[in-house]
Amino acid sequence: MSRTVAVAHYPEGAGHATRMLAVAQALEGPETDVVLAGGGPGSRFIEYNGYEVYRPATVDYIGDYQGGSILDVVTRSVPNSLKRVFDFARWLRREDPAALVTDDMFAAMAAQFTATPLYVLTHNAASYYDAAIQEAFTWLLNQYQLSVARAFLYPAVWPPDQGDPPGVVHIPPIALEPNGAQAPDDVGVLVVPSTYSTNFGELARMLREEGHTVTLVGDDDWECAASLLPWIRSADMVVCSGYSTVMEAAVAGTPCIIYPFTDEQHGVSRVIERRGLRGFQVEHSTPHILRAVRHPPEAPSHENGAKRAAEFVLNHME
């Protein structure tokens, strides 16, 4: 008899969808079906991979706070948050899964309301944030996730660290494996913008002027790919902002230069710098990135944690 596992991603960007889809694919099997939900730009990526995805109301706390004000958070994010919890609860009642795996706080709340066994999977931690309001909110969120979930799975490119939430289950970084997709041989420097990064087009132009072959994800000649991992494996190095691409570079074994923009990205970068992880270098300006590309770090080496996450969930389900 098959059982259903629900997998839901946060709607902030495609990276959330990428890692949750990787876990969903690892969960699928003869005795396990998966259903997916999320909304936002990541849902288009999931559909591109051939899956149906439920789209609850979306929220954008980072965009409303960092690109707006507290008033925008109160008038936009908060009402949409309530609607998102309601939509997720309705979806969970309809699907009646044996468990929910999610990096979405609102899906976690809906799981509690519907008595759905919950497994949280996220790297987010209060220690990443400098702003007191963000640090306090994330600390409360971590405590809530730890209290309601059967397990808090924590994918990290670093070993257990003092800034990690206490009580998490460390797993290796997660990357979406390709389904037969192949990258060209001439990727060169792969430049991967995130939702909130800027100036990556200009950075790509300057790298080309220095004689580098450059592939800019999302450029006019870029075609959507079911998985970015083949391009990362084929690249000489990666320049990125988001942690999902950092994890993929870790799994691919490709040197990675991190150019952070959001508070969370800066927080992740600080941990990587403090731990001195092989394969990664953090820079904060275009000239420094150009220099780093000329002298890239050594290649990293990490296991893909998607299977480890799926095995943990399946082994602990009733």
Side-chain angles (χ1 to χ4, degrees):
M1 181 177 177
S2 65
R3 53 188 174 179
T4 298
V5 179
V7 179
H9 70 268
Y10 193 68
E12 183 180 290
H16 291 269
T18 298
R19 56 180 173 261
M20 297 312 297
L21 180 57
V23 174
Q25 290 182 342
L27 284 164
E28 282 184 303
E31 298 181 354
T32 308
D33 299 320
V34 297
V35 290
L36 296 104
S43 284
R44 293 195 297 272
F45 180 83
I46 290 178
E47 290 169 341
Y48 186 82
N49 275 271
Y51 291 83
E52 293 184 2
V53 58
Y54 174 67
R55 295 172 176 259
T58 61
V59 296
D60 186 3
Y61 274 89
I62 291 179
D64 287 343
Y65 178 69
Q66 294 186 187
S69 65
I70 292 293
L71 180 61
D72 292 321
V73 172
V74 171
T75 58
R76 297 177 190 171
S77 296
V78 172
N80 286 337
S81 299
L82 298 175
K83 179 66 164 58
R84 188 169 176 83
V85 174
F86 175 82
D87 288 348
F88 266 130
R90 183 170 55 184
W91 176 67
L92 289 171
R93 290 191 181 100
R94 183 176 71 241
E95 299 293 345
D96 190 26
L100 169 67
V101 185
T102 187
D103 64 351
D104 187 292
M105 69 188 87
F106 309 108
M109 295 175 189
Q112 186 181 19
F113 294 149
T114 59
T116 304
L118 171 66
Y119 295 85
V120 169
L121 192 155
T122 180
H123 68 284
N124 200 22
S127 60
Y128 300 161
Y129 300 97
D130 292 326
I133 188 170
Q134 289 178 290
E135 182 181 13
F137 174 81
T138 307
W139 184 86
L140 290 171
L141 174 61
N142 289 161
Q143 298 308 304
Y144 172 77
Q145 291 167 324
L146 286 162
S147 67
V148 300
R150 295 194 172 186
F152 188 141
L153 305 178
Y154 193 76
V157 297
W158 53 81
D161 183 76
Q162 62 190 24
D164 300 342
V168 298
V169 178
H170 261 262
I171 59 174
I174 291 176
L176 179 63
E177 293 287 350
N179 186 15
Q182 292 185 341
D185 295 329
D186 58 345
V187 172
V189 180
L190 184 67
V191 179
V192 187
S194 69
T195 302
Y196 303 102
S197 58
T198 60
N199 301 325
F200 270 55
E202 179 68 10
L203 171 62
R205 182 190 65 78
M206 296 175 71
L207 285 167
R208 292 188 181 108
E209 288 181 351
E210 289 207 350
H212 300 285
T213 299
V214 178
T215 300
L216 174 61
V217 174
D219 203 1
D220 292 339
D221 58 354
W222 173 261
E223 295 183 5
C224 185
S227 169
L228 195 60
L229 199 59
W231 274 259
I232 295 176
R233 283 185 171 134
S234 182
D236 298 325
M237 71 196 74
V238 176
V239 180
C240 68
S241 296
Y243 184 59
S244 292
T245 308
V246 169
M247 288 197 288
E248 289 175 322
V251 172
T254 303
C256 181
I257 299 166
I258 307 170
Y259 187 14
F261 280 82
T262 69
D263 291 348
E264 177 263 339
Q265 291 168 358
H266 281 286
V268 166
S269 298
R270 284 195 297 269
V271 179
I272 290 173
E273 284 188 303
R274 176 161 49 78
R275 298 306 300 261
L277 299 182
R278 191 185 79 179
F280 304 97
Q281 186 167 330
V282 180
E283 299 294 350
H284 300 280
S285 69
T286 300
H288 286 95
I289 291 171
L290 296 175
R291 184 180 63 189
V293 170
R294 297 185 211 114
H295 308 283
E298 298 180 52
S301 178
H302 292 261
E303 173 192 353
N304 191 342
K307 184 177 180 181
R308 188 89 65 89
E311 289 175 345
F312 185 96
V313 172
L314 294 174
N315 289 340
H316 288 79
M317 285 171 53
E318 294 178 354

